[in-house]
Amino acid sequence: MTDVKRVVLAYSGGLDTSVILKWLRETYDCEVVTFTADLGQGEELEPARAKAELMGVKPEHIFIDDLREEFVRDYVFPMMRANAHYEGLYLLGTSIARPLIAKRQIEIARMVGADAVSHGATGKGNDQVRFELGYYALAPDIKVIAPWREWDLTSRTKLIEYAEAHQIPVPKDKRGESPFSTDANLLHTSSEGKVLEDPGAEVPDYVYSRTVNPEDAPDTPEVIEIGFEAGDGVSINGQPLSPANLLASLNDYGRRHGIGRLDLVENRFVGMKSRGMYETPGGTIYAAAHRAIEQLTLDRGAAHLKDELMPRYAELIYNGFWFSPEREMLQAAIDHSQAKVAGSVRLKLYKGGVHVIGRTSPNSLYSEKVVTFEDDAGAYDQRDAAGFIKLNALRLRLLGRRDI
Amino acid sequence: MTDVKRVVLAYSGGLDTSVILKWLRETYDCEVVTFTADLGQGEELEPARAKAELMGVKPEHIFIDDLREEFVRDYVFPMMRANAHYEGLYLLGTSIARPLIAKRQIEIARMVGADAVSHGATGKGNDQVRFELGYYALAPDIKVIAPWREWDLTSRTKLIEYAEAHQIPVPKDKRGESPFSTDANLLHTSSEGKVLEDPGAEVPDYVYSRTVNPEDAPDTPEVIEIGFEAGDGVSINGQPLSPANLLASLNDYGRRHGIGRLDLVENRFVGMKSRGMYETPGGTIYAAAHRAIEQLTLDRGAAHLKDELMPRYAELIYNGFWFSPEREMLQAAIDHSQAKVAGSVRLKLYKGGVHVIGRTSPNSLYSEKVVTFEDDAGAYDQRDAAGFIKLNALRLRLLGRRDI
Amino acid sequence: MTDVKRVVLAYSGGLDTSVILKWLRETYDCEVVTFTADLGQGEELEPARAKAELMGVKPEHIFIDDLREEFVRDYVFPMMRANAHYEGLYLLGTSIARPLIAKRQIEIARMVGADAVSHGATGKGNDQVRFELGYYALAPDIKVIAPWREWDLTSRTKLIEYAEAHQIPVPKDKRGESPFSTDANLLHTSSEGKVLEDPGAEVPDYVYSRTVNPEDAPDTPEVIEIGFEAGDGVSINGQPLSPANLLASLNDYGRRHGIGRLDLVENRFVGMKSRGMYETPGGTIYAAAHRAIEQLTLDRGAAHLKDELMPRYAELIYNGFWFSPEREMLQAAIDHSQAKVAGSVRLKLYKGGVHVIGRTSPNSLYSEKVVTFEDDAGAYDQRDAAGFIKLNALRLRLLGRRDI
Amino acid sequence: MTDVKRVVLAYSGGLDTSVILKWLRETYDCEVVTFTADLGQGEELEPARAKAELMGVKPEHIFIDDLREEFVRDYVFPMMRANAHYEGLYLLGTSIARPLIAKRQIEIARMVGADAVSHGATGKGNDQVRFELGYYALAPDIKVIAPWREWDLTSRTKLIEYAEAHQIPVPKDKRGESPFSTDANLLHTSSEGKVLEDPGAEVPDYVYSRTVNPEDAPDTPEVIEIGFEAGDGVSINGQPLSPANLLASLNDYGRRHGIGRLDLVENRFVGMKSRGMYETPGGTIYAAAHRAIEQLTLDRGAAHLKDELMPRYAELIYNGFWFSPEREMLQAAIDHSQAKVAGSVRLKLYKGGVHVIGRTSPNSLYSEKVVTFEDDAGAYDQRDAAGFIKLNALRLRLLGRRDI
């Protein structure tokens, strides 16, 4: 058994992490410091403070931080600059939150002189990897405690028995098995497990919590306009907004119009396939808008390179390698391309769909004069195309002469 | 002036290619062979025969071929196996048709002993490149005539004057300027030019021809099920269909539900940005379904490699390099992954949206037993995750020890 | 403790695997089947049979297979088609042998009805991963025993004590610590550990066993000619040779001229850096020749795609993913490119260097007529270059107009 | 005919560019400004001034610039940070010089108010593309004159006749045909054409000018030590040197030991294969040393990403896209990795070979404690490898269960 003196626990205030809190003390005879982050998950955090106090955590060892702006500004937006979609579809809502939590946990560990950190992620999922790679990257010699991989509370019944045996209040709705589990933050809500475990069966309507059913969305489309500067969103319908406020506002639009639902079978880093349901209302709108403004302002060479690097970049985030040299290298390349990504995108929101209907930019590379079917007054000499094609064809012709 | 004896012209029967037919004869004093392909563009082709005869083309020199099955089977489906989207969004409907037309033109040139081929693509677009790279790859020493790059009919007025001076009938609706130009086949209809040239202005509703406006689509979703074998679609709702029939049927579904509209600013191979509008109703449904069945049946290694290769593959098709060693190499890799991509995908179509709601497969790699939150009876040992994370973290820890 | 009935052990006949043999029986109370492969490591294998018999292995449970031809034909040559170098330099001599051993072990396990396999690789290296990924890929439910990760014989002293306690003969030269450890096969010999562990210190001369010191190599260069067909070597100086014989012959040339020594600090899959010394005499010559014949016969598109895929391909082999869908996909792409890679390469061997001095091919794509400075009689129209450059420059000009 | 008032000509002072100077004036009735760059080609530049004056160029219109330090610091070194080799072998000596010449030419054009630039590259080669892409990227509306694509001096005889008719002195050794043509700068000398046009024939010894024949190199190896900081070379044998002086010094070492000769068949951007001979003495040593210091100081993730990006990066430079967004993006990624690439590499130079024999670094990521065969006192827990392998194998096992 590792010797642990003081451990910083990522603490939600819920049943599971309360059990962990107790179990850590019992198992390691150590002091527990709780850390609860507001990432926009939409829950009150003060109850977590009350519960921690009730569990006997010293007031100065209870950390509750509003990380919403940092989350969107330094994690979501940089990721969106890459147009990152894991396996073509997933906007990485859970993946991108983990490194920030890990980073803050390590900062707190340094502040309070803790020698260990702990989290409530299970041994089958990606989150354990994301947390722990973050911990180790930022504090190579920190001790990491992952209770779900260590303890023998291997079923919900045992967990509840443990809670009851240790005077941890068990909310009524936690007594039975939850029909699925969720994770939420300002970017998305994910759901998985139980009722979702058959990838052939449609996700039941009650699983959705962040969006209306597209069928129940308004019958009239709504048009919004997102403004961008240097690759990041800065305004909606002309109103300047901070990163977190912008995303929150897009979440409202998305919720109302049933946007951003995703039923996915994905490949976890730990080796198995899982089926999840994601709701990323604002993020889905934002991603469409970002690509649209890039269409106008990014050169082809930059755009295609970004598209080629994207799958690797998304995989790194999904797998938990945010704090890695290769993610940072890719970020440097991506960020280098964004200086002139500015302008305005109009989108029509309707019944679950996001439709780009126009974009303008002071930095537009689109030249109506060059592209027009009309006489272009010498902007482009069509005869140049002959030579262009001839030299592009040369190697194919040499090949054809040999092989045909 | 190149010496040309007999030229095979890609002939639509429309005004432009009729003018080209005449101009080729006048300019090169050569015999013209016409080739008209049915790629599912939805037009009668026999009028093209009548017009060609009227223009004096010998009956044995008029070729009208139904290429729909070959088009979908050997071009669209292989491309869909790659989940190809150019610049993240465009399903390459025009790009993928050009190589087949080029190939057939060359075959006809061989049959009739022609020494040249000609097409009606302009000097500013991608299609000239796609046609000509195809010609040169398959017949390295063929002569290629691109009238739009050569002649002085540089405005519609001049073209119509030429037509009238040469007794070519000019349809009434071709007298004025068309407000946009289109290309159509079984996979899509593209529109560009004129009224579409301002990327900030919404595409007018009258430009759409293949889909209803999502707002006018049925208020009730429709669920369909697409069956796959070896990576290709084989049935809809249990009914076996040939490739072309399957795509045609999906087009009907897509049209009805307003699916597959895309307003895009894209980067042409010839160097400028253009704004186009694409309608790919059936293809959009098919692409979503193909990715969904891959989710269940492709290993992560294969899936991620495909995602990384895709942008390059799509770019090659867009740029006209279908008949190139590198496209074939990528195809070999992609096709190698598809043997087990089989099963069934259910999709909900609603108001412009395609939503995957379930997928099943006899070849599923998804293991509920492994992934379950419940006791998995030893299918997966959570303690393995500790070692997995530790070794993945090792290099980051060594780095952290150096740099932090 | 896993229940094991019969285990197939990768058995060299040396001290370590003899101890393992004994330990397996003692620990698991199971029957041990030995498998000894001739991969061209240059040792007599019959002594391994004698030792296994002496250790009490049933004669029908002793497998000694000459895999040299299969090794070179189905593993080394396919890898060489990719011009694979790990981290730019390493020809993967150990990595490429492991999958074949694993595959044969699994075949034997099936033949003798074994339920487990075992190997003698340590817990810090790559080889354990390579063996076990091979085992699991080919027999997903096989039990795998890795004694070095399980037992408590954690030092050489303990190992020798165990041997002596169990009547396993300990050769005199194994009593002390070996100054480094080696792995050898027809492709290479690797050395690492102990005297090599300081990456700043030159590799002592006595570590080299497969090549003379370049300084001691002949003062006169030797020229050889390697013939290729379909991407693989088939002859030396006009004499047809089987794959294994060809590589063996190149090893002789390489040894004599001091070719193929490599002092490398590399990144292991398990997360740390290690320093190794490799001698790949014949492989180094072969790799240079293969690239040279590709220069003449591969189209640029194919060649560049291969170069871009290579690092990933090499990494997969290094990490032990030979039997993975993504390696097979890459192989399919690579192999597709090799049909016309045929001809002859002349190389000068001298004092540690391999210098390509000429190549010829019936499938050459090199055209003196096109490339010549002299009048090329119309093979290439220099004016085409103007259009080629103009259109390649177009996007850069549009960018420049915006940004400068 | 384009209207040109003043043109900046890349002027070597040799016969060809002197003829161009004259031809520009005659053809365009324009003023010619000459620019001669010292890139370390090893020729006196003052004679170029004298010749330009003799040809009537105004003194204030004669520019002779020593660009050696800028060349190595801002072009060669950044490229070397990427370990760039075109088609696996070529160190891009000519390609990397062109953008700097183009940039300086444009700067001069701005200074003297010129409306055009001109160069002496032929219409079959890569250099015309490199020059002109540079011009257009930096001055989108500049006029570009490429005499070799325009004039009718299509043979050497005609060129000399033109020279004589215009009182341009023709050196005796330029009267006959040169047996090959060369380009030289501080990084390399390239030779191609005529006697080199048969890729099957060995390069004649008289073609080499920058290195001794390895057979004539010293019989005793020489050991040198190169110091690096932040990814760039800063010293030799402990003596600090500026970039250009460091490369010049390495050139001396390389010349003496016959290092850096390369006989290559390469694929030109304009579509054909060519055969060239390159001598890159110092660059070859430098490239080996840079990779060696990276081995010790770069994390695996960074190193492998660099290896995967390299072929694309090298291709961009070869094709002339130095001043492109995508090259700059890749450079940003590469440079991000280099901050800690510091230390010292010892190399043995002998008879054409460069052999790394040791490297040390204050930033080493190599941990003898972790990697050792000996007891590592808990630095690495071998049992972690079991879990690592198990989870890496999981997807392969699921696959195997389905497919075997």
Side-chain angles (χ1 to χ4, degrees), chain B residues 296-302 308 312 315 340 362-365 367 370 379-381 383-392 394-403, chain D residues 296-302 308 312 315 340 362-365 367 370 379-381 383-392 394-403:
Chain B
L296 213 52
T297 56
L298 271 197
D299 165 75
R300 182 183 70 205
E308 291 194 54
R312 171 71 63 90
E315 184 186 68
K340 299 277 181 169
N363 303 331
S364 176
L365 291 169
S367 166
V370 169
Y380 177 98
D381 185 342
R383 285 164 307 180
D384 287 339
F388 179 72
I389 295 169
K390 273 298 193 59
L391 295 207
N392 271 299
L394 181 50
R395 66 181 177 95
L396 302 177
R397 298 174 76 186
L398 293 166
L399 202 60
R401 279 187 198 132
R402 182 188 74 182
D403 293 342
Chain D
L296 213 53
T297 56
L298 271 197
D299 165 74
R300 182 183 71 203
E308 292 193 53
R312 171 70 64 90
E315 184 187 67
K340 299 278 181 169
N363 304 331
S364 176
L365 291 168
S367 165
V370 169
Y380 176 99
D381 185 342
R383 285 164 307 178
D384 287 339
F388 180 72
I389 295 170
K390 272 297 190 63
L391 294 208
N392 271 298
L394 182 51
R395 65 181 178 95
L396 302 177
R397 297 174 77 187
L398 292 167
L399 202 62
R401 279 187 198 132
R402 181 186 77 182
D403 294 342

Side-chain angles (χ1 to χ4, degrees), chain C residues 366-378:
Chain C
Y366 176 90
S367 165
E368 197 165 327
K369 198 174 140 204
V370 169
V371 80
T372 185
F373 282 13
E374 303 294 300
D375 183 9
D376 64 8

Side-chain angles (χ1 to χ4, degrees), chain C residues 246-267:
Chain C
L246 186 139
L247 185 53
S249 172
L250 291 180
N251 280 334
D252 290 341
Y253 286 107
R255 167 191 289 276
R256 190 154 60 247
H257 291 284
I259 289 166
R261 295 177 165 201
L262 175 65
D263 171 344
L264 187 70
V265 174
E266 77 199 47
N267 293 291

Side-chain angles (χ1 to χ4, degrees), chain C residues 260-325:
Chain C
R261 295 177 165 201
L262 175 65
D263 171 344
L264 187 70
V265 174
E266 77 199 47
N267 293 291
R268 287 191 189 156
F269 187 30
V270 293
M272 81 273 279
K273 288 184 182 292
S274 69
R275 195 271 191 101
M277 187 284 292
Y278 300 103
E279 289 174 282
T280 318
T284 300
I285 301 172
Y286 187 92
H290 183 265
R291 194 174 259 284
I293 194 65
E294 283 196 342
Q295 287 169 7
L296 213 52
T297 57
L298 270 196
D299 165 75
R300 182 183 72 203
H304 289 203
L305 179 56
K306 286 187 71 222
D307 281 351
E308 292 193 53
L309 299 178
M310 186 280 278
R312 171 72 63 91
Y313 176 89
E315 184 187 66
L316 285 169
I317 293 178
Y318 184 86
N319 288 355
F321 290 93
W322 179 263
F323 297 112
S324 72

